[in-house]
Amino acid sequence: MKIESAEFIRSAMSERDFPRDGLPEVAFVGRSNVGKSSLLNVLAGQHKLARVSRTPGRTQAVNLFLINRRLYFVDLPGYGYARAAKSARDEWAALLEAYLRSPAANRRAVLLIDAVVGPTPLDLEARRYLDRHGVAITVVATKIDKLSRGARKPALAAIRRELDLREETSLIGFSAKSGEGTAELWKEIGRPLPQAAGN
Ligand code: GDP
């Protein structure tokens, strides 16, 4: 997809700030430091969207970007920062819950998993959360460049198994360094949603 425009709309702090104009939404979910900002910037091409974080776990807002005036990127706060207080985790869960409960006709989520680390317990929780809310997911294994060619396939297979993904659920190896997986991810995001959500 050719990116003609990518605009920051706002940081949503509560439900009333979420989009209401019915445009499709792609929400990006993952633990802090998974490579979400880097991925968003690669997806948006030369348009710099998200700041690559130096202080993981700091952002507790839902950042909304409008791409080509017809699709929202919803940058959900990163979770699982080891030093985050329980109150911060509760806040994260409440914000995610509020977002997922807000009505949207066309919403999908991209769940980011660190290819080297694999799914953490909080990743599994996020995956269940999305499933429970009927949101179709695409899973991206980030930082795939850190794995040797030979290690990639088994790592992807392990992620698929540990997350218990259905066969139809796409799992894409991605590198913000090399750009690998970008075209595949764009293709996936542009695909119509499956009729019955479930992953
Ligand atoms: P976020 O907290 O999820 O937004 O993660 P960032 O995008 O800020 O990235 C966290 C760290 O991982 C940074 O040091 C990035 O340079 C590094 N990183 C992100 N993506 C990649 C990647 O594809 N390959 C490699 N090798 N490092 C990456």
Side-chain angles (χ1 to χ4, degrees), residues 120-161:
T120 65
L122 279 170
D123 291 329
L124 296 173
E125 203 180 298
R127 184 246 186 279
R128 281 195 295 269
Y129 235 85
L130 294 164
D131 212 26
R132 219 182 302 135
H133 288 81
V135 180
I137 59 170
T138 295
V139 180
V140 167
T142 61
K143 311 184 190 181
I144 199 81
D145 58 277
K146 288 190 174 181
L147 296 176
S148 69
R149 293 261 159 212
R152 292 180 190 185
K153 216 172 152 189
L156 290 174
I159 291 173
R160 180 172 285 284
R161 193 178 56 245

Side-chain angles (χ1 to χ4, degrees), residues 16-95:
R16 63 171 196 281
D17 300 330
F18 297 143
R20 296 152 189 262
D21 50 15
L23 290 176
E25 297 171 21
V26 183
F28 295 84
V29 195
R31 66 173 183 80
S32 300
N33 217 38
V34 72
K36 182 154 56 70
S37 310
S38 304
L39 174 138
L40 284 168
N41 286 331
V42 170
L43 275 188
Q46 75 277 38
H47 306 268
K48 275 267 171 287
L49 291 189
R51 206 173 333 141
V52 173
S53 56
R54 269 163 232 284
T55 324
R58 195 190 37 184
T59 37
Q60 284 295 334
V62 174
N63 291 317
L64 304 177
F65 302 94
L66 186 59
I67 309 296
N68 289 356
R69 297 178 190 270
R70 64 170 199 87
L71 167 75
Y72 283 107
F73 275 4
V74 180
D75 181 11
L76 292 165
Y79 51 81
Y81 181 45
R83 274 187 278 153
K86 185 174 178 300
S87 58
R89 293 205 303 270
D90 290 348
E91 210 178 297
W92 172 80
L95 198 55

Side-chain angles (χ1 to χ4, degrees), residues 168-186:
E168 316 77 278
T169 303
S170 300
L171 170 60
I172 300 169
F174 180 89
S175 166
K177 266 199 170 159
S178 69
E180 181 177 340
T182 309
E184 208 183 330
L185 183 53
W186 260 122

Side-chain angles (χ1 to χ4, degrees), residues 85-117:
K86 185 174 178 300
S87 58
R89 293 205 303 270
D90 290 348
E91 210 178 297
W92 172 80
L95 198 55
L96 183 64
E97 182 83 24
Y99 171 68
L100 293 176
R101 275 168 188 246
S102 67
N106 187 345
R107 173 184 291 154
R108 65 166 74 236
V110 175
L111 176 63
L112 282 69
I113 306 289
D114 190 312
V116 180
V117 178

